[in-house]
Amino acid sequence: MTNFQFLVKESNKSLTEISHETGISYSTLGNYNQGTRTPKKENAKILADYFGVSIPYLLGLDDNPNLVDPGAPKEVLKNDAINYSYSKDKSSVIIELKDSSNAEQVTIMQEMLSKGYSLKAVDTTYSDAPDYNPSSVIINMYFETRA
């Protein structure tokens, strides 16, 4: 069950009611509910506000439905090696991967693309610190919501 499906079920409202209350068409909500489409920026904001959750939670990118500091960039640590940083308007995300394998990088890219984001850039950072481990690199992936 997607987070959107869970929120609809917990609201005890029909898609028709949600459509009337949000101004989002019934057919669009139906596509979100079936998992055939993901909300784009404007609808994601409307629905997150409607259900009282964060946009990353609504889109399935975060397990926590509440923002720690609403209006501030959201940072979610899935584990020590992966850091997700969302822009203030939630239209872009930077994912920092520390010492990740190629398989982990591909998995993250596939997950973000399936959530409606487009990959805009990737860069690699190497440390110049004296205790630098040459096998230690940071990969930054820049994603934006699809227009």
Side-chain angles (χ1 to χ4, degrees):
M1 175 178 289
T2 67
N3 289 350
F4 179 78
Q5 291 167 331
F6 174 77
L7 292 166
V8 170
K9 183 178 178 181
E10 288 296 305
S11 74
N12 290 318
K13 293 190 177 190
S14 69
L15 291 181
T16 301
E17 290 173 295
I18 295 170
S19 174
H20 288 147
E21 293 171 7
T22 62
I24 299 171
S25 76
Y26 174 83
S27 63
T28 298
L29 292 174
N31 285 327
Y32 300 158
N33 202 43
Q34 292 173 4
T36 57
R37 288 185 53 197
T38 302
K40 296 203 188 304
K41 182 169 71 172
E42 185 60 31
N43 284 354
K45 181 172 179 7
I46 291 168
L47 291 168
D49 289 345
Y50 178 79
F51 290 116
V53 298
S54 68
I55 292 172
Y57 177 81
L58 178 80
L59 298 176
L61 300 171
D62 190 350
D63 296 333
N64 180 1
N66 300 310
L67 289 173
V68 174
D69 181 9
K74 175 75 170 125
E75 294 186 11
V76 181
L77 291 174
K78 297 288 185 186
N79 63 44
D80 291 342
I82 303 172
N83 179 27
Y84 294 80
S85 300
Y86 294 90
S87 64
K88 188 172 185 174
D89 67 358
K90 309 299 187 281
S91 65
S92 63
V93 62
I94 299 171
I95 301 177
E96 180 183 86
L97 302 161
K98 298 176 184 171
D99 303 325
S100 60
S101 69
N102 288 341
E104 289 171 317
Q105 294 167 28
V106 169
T107 300
I108 293 293
M109 283 191 277
Q110 289 173 334
E111 177 183 341
M112 294 303 293
L113 294 172
S114 75
K115 301 293 184 188
Y117 284 86
S118 296
L119 180 63
K120 295 298 180 186
V122 176
D123 72 30
T124 305
T125 305
Y126 299 92
S127 174
D128 59 0
D131 61 345
Y132 168 65
N133 177 352
S135 67
S136 179
V137 296
I138 298 172
I139 306 291
N140 290 299
M141 298 179 190
Y142 303 90
F143 294 88
E144 291 181 357
T145 53
R146 294 184 187 134

